[in-house]
Each structure stands twice: as structure tokens, then as C-alpha cells.
């Protein structure tokens, strides 16, 4: 048994804890402490304690704070004695040390990205890294080229401050937002699932392959319109001013409420009832 401190029910409390076999972090490979506690509370504190423990449940709960360490709740059970007044509840709680994962930089295929925000998740044998980073100039061009050419290929990724061991990862969903000048803010997802079977499509399969075909058609139509305008302008059929106005109208823009309504149109309204 070991002395153990934990912030519960509004204050720091001391307990005796049993050390359990450590767990191995799937993120860094380091050993993480595991302990088991027995907690006793009267009935008036039962709901508060149970709510705190549920809120701290692994894997995505809000960690409980200990002395220099935070903890997630693993297995948790409780019982009570009817012959005590007030009724006393006894909780048995397994806790696992929470690993602080904060990368100072992410190196992707030799390109160093500094995260503005950073997160790692590990589920079903797959590591998912998400980060927001701001780039511009040559660095922005290199990142954009990498995103365009990488496809589903795996590249070496080093998460500085988390693990110095290169990890084979591919790009997942990568969003971007235009900033001032040539600055872009990127929301990048990196996935380590090499040599693993493809997961079922699930939500990713909704409206597929129709959605992908619609995107292809949209790009093809946009290129055809650009070519048509250039040809008509070069032959003198369209003036410079008219050609410029057509190109301006074809640029993507935030939809107005009236334009958005068109995407709510259906030919079988009864199909959406109930």
C-alpha cells in the first residue's frame, strides 16, 4: 500500500492505494502508473462522488488531479450497507496516470510544423494526431505541395516532445483557412495505421461514391468554364470587362440565405417526414 493524494469533492484528500501493474503508453511507450483505491462516503455525498468519477472515466474524461499527476478512472464499482445510518457507500476505483502529450514541433517528411493546438488519440490500434499550424512563404508552399502529392502514401513523422522515434503516418482530413497575405492556417490529421485492415466506412461512407463524383464534376465544370471564357475572350467575342465579370461570378463565395435554400430542395418531401 502507498499513500495517495487526490482532489475529490472540492478538496485534497489522502488515501491508501494499492499499486497495480503499470500500463504501457501506446503514444510514447513509457510506463504509466495504475492504482486501486477504496473510498467510503455517506449517502449525502454519494451522488457528487459518483458524478465526479463518471466525468473522469477513461479514455476521454476530465482527469482527476493528484499530487503532481492527473488520473483517469478505469474500472469502478460501488456497494452500500443497509444497516448503517446514514447509509455508507463503498467505492472501488482503478486509476491510471494521464500522460501529458504536447508536441513542441511535428516533423513531417522533413518539414517542421509548430502546433498552435495539438492532440493525440489512440483507438482500435490506430494513432490519430491532430494539430493546427500556421505557415506562410516557402514553408507554406512545401506543405501544400506535400498535401497535394502525398495521397495515401505513408511518410516519416516525428513528434518532438512526445517521441523522438519516427512513425510511419499518412494524412487524413486536412482543412485550411486563408490568412493575411500568403499565410494559411491548417488543421491537419495524421494517421498511423500502416499494415492494418481498412476500417468499415461508417459515417465516412455516407453519400459515397456520389459525393466524390460530384466533386470531380464540379472541378471539371470549373475548368471548362475558365477555358471557355479564355477562348471567347481571345477570339474577341467577350470584352476584357465581360470576361473578368464572368470569372468573378465563378469564384467560390459564402452562400447567401437564398442560395443556401436551393440545397434544401427535394422532389419527394414526404420521404423526409417523421
Amino acid at each position: 500500500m502507498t499513500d495517495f493524494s487526490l482532489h475529490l469533492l472540492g478538496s485534497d484528500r489522502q488515501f491508501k492505494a494499492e499499486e497495480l501493474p503499470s500500463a504501457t503508453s501506446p503514444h510514447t511507450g513509457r510506463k504509466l502508473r495504475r492504482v486501486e483505491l477504496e473510498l467510503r462516503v455517506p449517502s449525502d455525498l454519494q451522488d457528487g462522488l459518483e458524478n465526479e468519477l463518471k466525468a473522469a472515466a477513461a479514455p476521454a474524461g476530465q482527469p482527476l488531479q493528484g499530487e503532481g499527476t492527473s488520473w483517469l478512472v478505469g474500472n469502478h464499482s460501488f456497494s452500500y450497507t443497509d444497516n448503517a445510518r446514514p447509509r455508507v457507500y463503498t467505492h472501488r476505483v482503478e486509476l491510471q496516470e494521464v500522460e501529458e502529450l504536447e508536441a513542441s514541433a511535428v516533423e513531417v517528411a522533413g518539414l517542421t510544423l509548430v502546433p498552435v493546438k495539438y492532440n493525440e488519440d489512440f483507438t482500435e490500434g490506430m494513432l490519430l494526431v491532430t494539430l493546427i499550424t500556421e505557415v506562410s512563404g516557402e514553408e507554406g508552399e512545401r506543405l501544400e505541395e506535400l498535401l497535394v502529392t502525398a495521397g495515401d502514401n505513408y511518410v516519416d513523422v516525428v513528434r518532438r516532445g512526445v517521441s523522438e522515434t519516427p512513425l510511419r503516418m499518412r494524412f487524413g482530413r486536412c482543412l485550411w483557412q486563408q490568412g493575411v497575405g500568403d499565410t494559411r492556417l491548417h488543421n491537419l490529421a495524421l494517421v498511423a495505421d500502416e499494415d492494418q485492415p481498412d476500417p468499415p466506412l461508417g459515417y465516412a461512407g455516407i453519400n459515397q461514391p456520389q459525393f466524390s463524383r460530384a466533386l470531380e464534376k464540379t472541378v471539371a465544370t470549373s475548368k471548362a468554364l475558365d477555358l471557355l471564357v479564355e477562348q471567347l475572350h481571345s477570339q474577341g467575342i467577350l470584352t476584357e470587362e465581360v470576361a473578368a465579370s464572368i470569372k468573378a461570378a465563378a469564384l467560390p463565395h459564402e452562400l447567401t440565405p437564398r442560395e443556401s435554400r436551393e440545397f434544401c430542395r427535394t422532389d419527394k418531401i414526404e420521404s423526409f417526414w417523421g
Side-chain angles (χ1 to χ4, degrees):
M1 302 293 284
T2 182
D3 292 330
F4 192 81
S5 175
L6 197 64
H7 189 85
L8 277 175
L9 298 172
S11 63
D12 293 331
R13 301 173 185 270
Q14 299 297 318
F15 304 97
K16 290 289 185 181
E18 179 184 351
E19 292 279 353
L20 299 176
S22 61
T24 301
S25 166
H27 301 271
T28 64
R30 64 180 285 256
K31 297 298 184 181
L32 302 176
R33 286 182 67 196
R34 294 174 60 244
V35 298
E36 184 178 61
L37 306 177
E38 184 175 279
L39 313 173
R40 288 189 175 92
V41 293
S43 57
D44 61 325
L45 297 180
Q46 163 63 13
D47 288 345
L49 177 61
E50 188 175 2
N51 289 338
E52 282 193 41
L53 295 177
K54 285 182 177 179
Q62 180 62 40
L64 299 172
Q65 297 305 308
E67 190 173 342
T69 307
S70 52
W71 304 85
L72 285 174
V73 174
N75 292 331
H76 166 223
S77 62
F78 68 88
S79 59
Y80 59 86
T81 54
D82 269 326
N83 57 354
R85 291 293 181 268
R87 177 181 288 175
V88 175
Y89 289 78
T90 302
H91 292 254
R92 294 198 67 84
V93 185
E94 289 184 12
L95 301 176
Q96 179 170 304
E97 178 185 358
V98 175
E99 194 172 28
E100 298 296 333
L101 300 170
E102 190 63 42
S104 58
V106 178
E107 296 180 4
V108 185
L111 181 63
T112 301
L113 304 172
V114 177
V116 177
K117 292 184 178 181
Y118 185 86
N119 186 63
E120 289 193 12
D121 288 306
F122 192 89
T123 55
E124 298 181 359
M126 178 183 71
L127 176 66
L128 173 64
V129 170
T130 53
L131 67 142
I132 294 178
T133 187
E134 188 175 71
V135 293
S136 60
E138 182 180 347
E139 185 182 55
E141 293 175 4
R142 288 178 60 196
L143 176 57
E144 196 61 37
E145 182 67 16
L146 182 60
L147 291 170
V148 170
T149 58
D152 292 329
N153 294 322
Y154 288 81
V155 296
D156 286 334
V157 177
V158 177
R159 300 114 70 213
R160 299 294 183 193
V162 175
S163 174
E164 299 300 307
T165 303
L167 193 61
R168 298 288 291 171
M169 306 187 80
R170 61 174 174 82
F171 285 107
R173 187 180 70 168
C174 296
L175 309 178
W176 65 278
Q177 176 183 326
Q178 186 66 54
V180 178
D182 65 349
T183 299
R184 286 187 177 187
L185 199 63
H186 289 264
N187 185 337
L188 305 176
L190 291 159
V191 186
D193 62 352
E194 193 171 23
D195 299 326
Q196 294 190 34
D198 292 335
L201 286 175
Y203 286 112
I206 294 177
N207 292 330
Q208 291 288 6
Q210 295 93 329
F211 182 67
S212 294
R213 300 294 81 78
L215 289 177
E216 292 171 358
K217 187 66 173 178
T218 299
V219 172
T221 301
S222 177
K223 289 184 176 180
L225 177 60
D226 285 342
L227 179 59
L228 177 61
V229 171
E230 289 295 335
Q231 290 294 320
L232 293 176
H233 176 246
S234 66
Q235 296 175 24
I237 298 174
L238 295 178
T239 65
E240 183 74 30
E241 181 180 0
V242 172
S245 66
I246 293 175
K247 289 182 179 181
L251 289 174
H253 63 279
E254 184 176 352
L255 299 180
T256 66
R258 190 176 298 279
E259 289 170 329
S260 296
R261 286 294 296 160
E262 180 60 18
F263 291 93
C264 297
R265 177 173 58 84
T266 177
D267 295 324
K268 295 183 178 180
I269 201 165
E270 67 275 10
S271 299
F272 296 88
W273 177 257

